[in-house]
Amino acid sequence: MRQILITGSFGFVGSRLAAHFLRAGCQVRLLDLPNHPHKQVQLAWLREFGDPDLIETDICDAGRVTDAVRGCDDVIHVAALLNSIAPYQQFHRVNVLGTQTVCQACLSVQSAPHLTLVSTSDVFGIPRPGEVITEDSPFRTWDEPYADTKIEAARHVRMLRSEGKLSASIVYPGWVYGPGDRQFFPAVIDMVKSGVVFTWHRSAALEIYLIHIDDLIAGVQKIMDHRHQPCQDFLILDSQTGMTTVDLYNEIAHYYAKTIKQVHLPYNLMMTLAKATQTLARYRLLPAPLLSTTDVKAFGNEFRFSTERAARLLDWRPAVEPRQGISEALQWQSNNFPR
């Protein structure tokens, strides 16, 4: 029986991957913090699909992580810190040192498993005008702790792979959405329900690059099925959503029968507001920032991606039409978090 370890298994992506592989009859090991806020809910839900093993530990605990890796055929490393107001040192510890700990664990066991690192398309930075991002594009920093520490993590995995020490692939998703999301869609829904939505793109409305959780899982599955071929990296996102932020707001407003007013603010003003509210939230003078500086950059600049490599080598293409996926995601939100 195929043995799979999934780190960050109580988060959105990790839990959905765990459910997928449990349904497929794999033996799944879950690794996450003992005090994870969604532990009980996620564990009860996952046990509907099988009998996973649970390892509760910090991602930087080398001994415990090595014990979790031992005997596995595959390790899917999803665990990461996303919180925009945490200090940089905390991002570095979880995203960089945590990845290094997982890599070292894979190298130290007798039969090294294949590692799939779930990274982010943010590692390629903000593109130059007209640039199309591929897996061979250079990493570019954002001056943001999440994206920049994910770059360091991906570089470490690439280095070990290039040295022939580690069998590893890296997945670069776009904005992941769908049933199970407790961060992205809830924040957008709250904005829409307030009746006022904001945009801050520099010129014309920009297409956003979503990836439905089912399509991401399908991509990870195909990468693992091809792990005995030369390991490569893959952008796994829908490069032709045709969906702008305004389209997304309108889909959500239609679902909840809300009327919204769009307010367009200058990019630099939104960046100033994001910085100010992040600082206030960091000092607990606000419960949460209005939005993050990462959000301002991500939704205020034009991105173009190519997923040709995944289509050619994995026969992977997004299967979920964005409006269908958004409807599914909103239905899940309504069923689980009635507002």
Side-chain angles (χ1 to χ4, degrees):
M1 182 182 296
R2 193 172 189 175
Q3 181 94 275
I4 301 172
L5 171 67
I6 301 173
T7 72
S9 49
F10 294 147
F12 172 32
V13 174
S15 64
R16 296 285 153 164
L17 281 164
H20 167 78
F21 287 108
L22 284 168
R23 288 191 192 103
C26 300
Q27 183 58 47
V28 176
R29 291 180 184 173
L30 312 174
L31 189 150
D32 216 317
L33 293 166
N35 59 346
H36 193 287
H38 302 138
K39 170 186 169 181
Q40 298 301 332
V41 171
Q42 296 287 42
L43 196 55
W45 177 69
L46 288 171
R47 284 174 174 159
E48 296 177 12
F49 310 109
D51 186 22
D53 298 325
L54 175 60
I55 297 95
E56 298 180 278
T57 187
D58 184 280
I59 196 65
C60 292
D61 186 329
R64 292 281 286 158
V65 172
T66 300
D67 288 342
V69 167
R70 188 171 287 113
C72 287
D73 303 294
D74 293 274
V75 173
I76 308 175
H77 181 38
V78 187
L81 179 63
L82 297 165
N83 186 340
S84 64
I85 63 171
Y88 178 85
Q89 293 81 357
Q90 192 173 344
F91 279 94
H92 187 271
R93 184 180 185 279
V94 176
N95 296 350
V96 180
L97 299 184
T99 299
Q100 292 175 358
T101 301
V102 171
C103 289
Q104 186 56 45
C106 291
L107 296 174
S108 64
V109 297
Q110 186 173 4
S111 180
H114 176 80
L115 172 67
T116 301
L117 172 65
V118 178
S119 184
T120 169
S121 59
D122 288 356
V123 298
F124 299 106
I126 298 172
R128 298 185 177 94
E131 179 183 3
V132 178
I133 294 172
T134 73
E135 294 86 351
D136 295 323
S137 297
F139 290 160
R140 294 194 186 107
T141 59
W142 288 56
D143 193 26
E144 299 287 348
Y146 171 68
D148 294 353
T149 53
K150 293 295 277 187
I151 288 173
E152 288 189 65
R155 281 178 174 155
H156 184 73
V157 171
R158 283 184 170 188
M159 178 192 70
L160 293 176
R161 184 177 63 195
S162 68
E163 294 173 350
K165 296 177 180 178
L166 185 67
S167 170
S169 304
I170 305 177
V171 180
Y172 305 111
W175 288 85
V176 187
Y177 75 104
D181 171 24
R182 287 176 165 84
Q183 288 187 314
F184 177 33
F185 260 47
V188 181
I189 289 169
D190 287 345
M191 188 195 305
V192 168
K193 287 198 166 185
S194 76
V196 179
V197 298
F198 294 93
T199 58
W200 53 88
H201 45 267
R202 297 177 192 271
S203 54
L206 304 173
E207 187 174 1
I208 55 176
Y209 292 93
L210 303 168
I211 179 68
H212 191 276
I213 185 63
D214 290 349
D215 284 333
L216 175 57
I217 291 169
V220 171
Q221 177 72 72
K222 282 183 174 286
I223 288 169
M224 291 169 59
D225 291 343
H226 288 76
R227 70 185 187 277
H228 297 302
Q229 298 180 10
C231 297
Q232 297 198 50
D233 301 346
F234 295 94
L235 278 160
I236 299 293
L237 47 78
D238 189 343
S239 61
Q240 298 180 343
T241 62
M243 178 80 59
T244 67
T245 51
V246 176
D247 294 328
L248 178 59
Y249 298 151
N250 286 334
E251 289 289 326
I252 295 172
H254 176 74
Y255 182 88
Y256 288 105
K258 293 287 183 179
T259 300
I260 55 175
K261 177 182 179 182
Q262 178 190 344
V263 177
H264 184 81
L265 297 176
Y267 180 91
N268 290 338
L269 175 58
M270 290 303 293
M271 184 61 71
T272 300
L273 288 172
K275 288 179 179 177
T277 59
Q278 279 184 176
T279 300
L280 292 172
R282 189 171 292 118
Y283 288 100
R284 300 183 179 180
L285 298 174
L286 280 179
L290 174 66
L291 75 170
S292 72
T293 50
T294 297
D295 294 337
V296 175
K297 294 173 185 178
F299 292 106
N301 289 280
E302 185 174 11
F303 293 82
R304 296 174 63 199
F305 297 93
S306 170
T307 56
E308 187 274 336
R309 178 183 290 178
R312 175 169 48 87
L313 298 182
L314 303 176
D315 192 28
W316 176 89
R317 294 168 183 81
V320 180
E321 194 277 327
R323 284 171 174 78
Q324 171 197 337
I326 289 169
S327 178
E328 292 175 5
L330 293 173
Q331 185 63 57
W332 187 88
Q333 294 291 334
S334 296
N335 292 341
N336 289 273
F337 304 105
R339 287 171 168 82

